[in-house]
Amino acid sequence: MFDIRAIRDNPDAFRAAWNRRKPGLGDIVDQIHAHDGALRKAVTDKQDAEKVRNENSKLIGRAKAEKNEQEAARLMALVAEAKLTIEAAGEQEAAAKGLLDEILMGLPNLPLAEVPQGQDEEGNVEQSRWGEPKRINNPKDHADLGEALKSDFGFSQMDFDSAVKMSGARFVALRGPLARMERALAAFMLDLQTGEHGYEEVSPPLLVKDQALIGTGQLPKFEVDLFKATNFDSDRFWADYNVAHEAQLDQFRDIGYGNISSEEIREASLKRQREWLKKYNSGEYNDPRYLIPTAEVPLTNLVRDQILDGSRLPLRFTAHTPCFRSEAGSAGRDTKGMIRLHQFNKVELVSIVENEEAGLAELERMTGCAEEVLKRLNLPFRRMLLCTGDMGTGARKTYDLEVWLPSQNTYREISSCSYCGDFQARRMDARFRKEAGTKPEFVHTLNGSGLAVGRTLVAVIENYQNEDGSITVPGVLRPYMGGLETIA
RNA sequence: GGAGGAGUGGCAGAGUGGUUGAAUGCGGCGGUCUUGAAAACCGUUGAGCCUUCGCGGGCUCCGGGGGUUCGAAUCCCUCCUCCUCCGCCA
């Protein structure tokens, strides 16, 4: 969401920024301006009429107390007239607000000036590199290595076949030492971020309401990327439906079937059915939840609908959770292995700060916190500054960390750290008060992966592979794996 | 799942149809007193929006939504949340 007053005052700045996101998108400013004008006109009209109603209602009370019925009747007529105006203006207000919100909620955040212009990942700019890729002769990819490794019971430690049978494509079951290594990675990351970087560990809900996703920006535009868990109340729906059906039949009977054409009956029935189809799909009989696509959603929503104490900022949260993504639109990409799954684990970092200056400093800090994980695992990586076309909707500036994958002879994304300004805060109504007595201000939010656990496992397997197909356990993970040095 | 109760300002807690955006207490802020502090006393203290260059004026909000009424925190409907008891359950 955006500050409508800022758009009014600087329409050209918004126009230019949205055009940087996507050529032509800035023209939306004209529509916003039109709807905003209509909205304010309607609001003013309504308020004027409400004033008339309120004042006269008080006078009515006084007139009645004085037993002046004639005066009371005269005033009541005035109020009745005002109410018509209120109703009409109210409808116009709701219509304009609906159109305006629909536009505003669907627009992406404004990229900061230092973000490079670009259409897709080709436009991203490398910022730095760390570590030297190790020379590996004929490196195998993680899937081949993982499937070849056997658990004590003789099953693949990276068991795609079994997972696919029960859940379909893009799922995996880790078994034995590899499963433990994934847990070790998560524990290591969490200990680092909480113990050394000051993040508070959170165990959040994994199912959230649509409002939470609207808050962080995944909705309304990207519902196809999410897994939705529905729970339709069919008993209540059909009970209500039958009542409406009976009522309509009664209505026909009252009119008399001789006085109504079969065409009219058909029309009326269809209309009723269409209405109920709409209700069927609405939230009225359904209370859906979404599986979180990232812990950014619950962690950021921790501050929703609040006025925080400014002296406590910044707040830093971390959580290790599964993430669920439908991966609609990525058919055919990364179909082999664990790079792109419907379910994966991730350690997420979220920071709540007070303004842009603090936010940009925090972005550097947060990215550093993510990089530290890779450094301690001794995995080569590079830092990319994302271009305007490759950033997520909520972001104003994003760094991606890409880890070296020997099998692909390239760097692959393993973390993404974003500064979101007050974009999410406005959608969530998350504010803070600098000092007692001062106006509340919107907080600024950041989120980043610290790191994607599944992909880190992939990187460890590939970078620590040995000629014989065994995997050397990185030093920092050994304490978490009972001292195990090699997975074979 | 069954039975009952409750949702009011940062917190506690009055208020059941007419100057109530809301008594009172605590907390916060400012002040008096004091060498300083405490205590005491006085004042002040919700949010959002519209309008105005500004001073100011106005509207909305007492869990959410809808309704009754000239007028609703107060009455009705509905949903949500919380509490107590019973049942079931990781």
Side-chain angles (χ1 to χ4, degrees):
Chain A
M1 196 49 112
F2 300 91
D3 181 0
I4 188 69
R5 275 171 296 200
I7 302 178
R8 265 176 225 153
D9 296 343
N10 297 300
D12 293 336
F14 282 83
R15 192 186 301 271
W18 278 321
N19 277 330
R20 290 233 297 143
R21 276 271 185 177
K22 196 176 143 203
L25 184 60
D27 292 345
I28 200 84
V29 169
D30 297 325
Q31 285 180 53
I32 293 171
H33 183 72
H35 293 313
D36 179 45
L39 174 63
R40 284 193 291 163
K41 167 90 166 64
V43 166
T44 309
D45 289 351
K46 193 179 83 169
Q47 290 186 0
D48 288 347
E50 280 170 340
K51 186 184 176 191
V52 171
R53 178 200 63 191
N54 292 347
E55 284 175 347
N56 286 327
S57 288
K58 277 176 191 165
L59 294 176
I60 290 170
R62 222 168 288 170
K64 291 229 172 189
E66 291 165 9
K67 303 267 186 239
N68 189 343
E69 291 300 329
Q70 199 183 345
E71 175 66 1
R74 187 184 73 81
L75 292 165
M76 278 158 86
L78 289 177
V79 170
E81 192 188 322
K83 283 177 76 176
L84 290 176
T85 309
I86 292 169
E87 200 180 333
E91 279 168 19
Q92 284 165 23
E93 179 191 353
K97 193 169 174 8
L99 290 165
L100 191 60
D101 281 352
E102 195 181 326
I103 292 172
L104 255 23
M105 290 306 276
L107 284 166
N109 205 352
L110 276 33
L112 288 174
E114 67 255 42
V115 172
Q117 185 69 38
Q119 280 195 336
D120 49 35
E121 65 271 16
E122 297 295 311
N124 299 341
V125 177
E126 184 173 316
Q127 305 283 290
S128 60
R129 280 186 193 217
W130 185 92
E132 195 61 43
K134 201 165 60 175
R135 292 215 166 279
I136 301 173
N137 290 326
N138 301 316
K140 297 195 185 84
D141 76 32
H142 69 279
D144 290 341
L145 288 161
E147 285 192 289
L149 291 167
K150 300 300 179 194
S151 70
D152 286 351
F153 291 128
F155 298 105
S156 287
Q157 290 191 37
M158 193 176 287
D159 188 349
F160 291 100
D161 296 341
S162 302
V164 165
K165 279 180 197 160
M166 68 179 106
S167 302
R170 295 198 190 280
F171 284 93
V172 72
L174 296 173
R175 299 194 183 200
L178 277 189
R180 185 168 190 183
M181 180 136 89
E182 190 195 31
R183 177 160 59 91
L185 280 167
F188 162 65
M189 293 177 196
L190 230 30
D191 284 351
L192 176 65
Q193 307 302 1
T194 57
E196 298 186 38
H197 295 154
Y199 286 85
E200 175 180 288
E201 182 168 351
V202 180
S203 176
L206 306 179
L207 286 165
V208 296
K209 298 197 217 187
D210 60 349
Q211 277 308 317
L213 289 148
I214 287 169
T216 39
Q218 282 81 8
L219 289 178
K221 283 199 85 171
F222 304 104
E223 181 164 13
V224 287
D225 295 332
L226 302 166
F227 280 107
K228 188 176 186 176
T230 60
N231 50 350
F232 181 65
D233 187 347
S234 66
D235 286 355
R236 194 161 62 84
F237 176 84
W238 289 112
D240 291 356
Y241 176 85
N242 286 331
V243 167
H245 191 184
E246 292 295 332
Q248 190 173 51
L249 292 179
D250 287 348
Q251 202 186 336
F252 292 154
R253 201 172 301 122
D254 291 348
I255 295 168
Y257 281 96
N259 303 323
I260 181 169
S261 74
S262 61
E263 191 56 33
E264 283 170 320
I265 290 176
R266 209 180 86 91
E267 273 302 312
S269 299
L270 275 176
K271 189 178 167 210
R272 188 198 78 243
Q273 286 175 27
R274 266 187 236 112
E275 260 169 39
W276 282 88
L277 183 62
K278 208 187 248 177
K279 290 196 184 199
Y280 182 95
N281 288 314
S282 76
E284 195 175 341
Y285 295 96
N286 211 343
D287 192 14
R289 300 290 137 89
Y290 294 86
L291 287 156
I292 58 168
T294 158
E296 167 199 346
V297 177
L299 288 182
T300 309
N301 274 279
L302 247 21
V303 298
R304 116 181 327 265
D305 291 327
Q306 285 182 63
I307 299 178
L308 300 163
D309 176 356
S311 67
R312 305 303 288 265
L313 300 181
L315 304 178
R316 298 189 176 107
F317 306 127
T318 184
H320 167 227
T321 70
C323 303
F324 304 90
R325 300 188 181 176
S326 74
E327 293 300 340
S330 54
R333 286 170 63 197
D334 303 314
T335 47
K336 186 181 182 190
M338 286 182 60
I339 296 290
R340 193 176 299 276
L341 299 174
H342 288 311
Q343 176 190 327
F344 60 94
N345 288 297
K346 183 156 62 69
V347 169
E348 182 74 0
L349 306 172
V350 161
S351 296
I352 310 295
V353 302
E354 56 181 274
N355 55 34
E356 182 167 322
E357 188 190 354
L360 288 172
E362 184 73 9
L363 178 63
E364 300 300 324
R365 183 187 191 278
M366 176 183 275
T367 310
C369 292
E371 285 175 343
E372 189 60 25
V373 176
L374 291 164
K375 288 178 182 173
R376 296 202 190 184
L377 287 166
N378 204 22
L379 293 169
F381 67 90
R382 62 179 186 176
R383 184 202 284 211
M384 307 293 287
L385 175 59
L386 295 201
C387 69
T388 52
D390 203 28
M391 282 198 302
T393 356
R396 300 205 66 188
K397 180 178 181 180
T398 298
Y399 289 124
D400 270 9
L401 298 183
E402 298 181 344
V403 70
W404 178 255
L405 289 190
S407 72
Q408 300 188 9
N409 197 36
T410 188
Y411 290 92
R412 289 301 304 262
E413 179 186 347
I414 197 166
S415 172
S416 189
C417 301
S418 298
Y419 165 62
C420 298
D422 62 7
F423 180 86
Q424 296 180 321
R426 286 178 180 280
R427 290 168 160 248
M428 294 189 302
D429 196 22
R431 294 172 291 172
F432 74 101
R433 211 188 293 274
K434 222 178 187 107
E435 291 164 44
T438 61
K439 278 236 166 232
E441 298 170 48
F442 287 108
V443 297
H444 287 220
T445 61
L446 298 98
N447 62 78
S449 356
L451 308 164
V453 177
R455 288 191 181 179
T456 308
L457 182 70
V458 167
V460 167
I461 291 171
E462 294 203 2
N463 283 280
Y464 283 80
Q465 63 178 291
N466 302 310
E467 292 269 357
D468 61 358
S470 65
I471 312 295
T472 300
V473 177
V476 290
L477 296 184
R478 290 181 191 174
Y480 294 94
M481 297 186 67
L484 188 68
E485 292 180 11
T486 310
I487 297 177

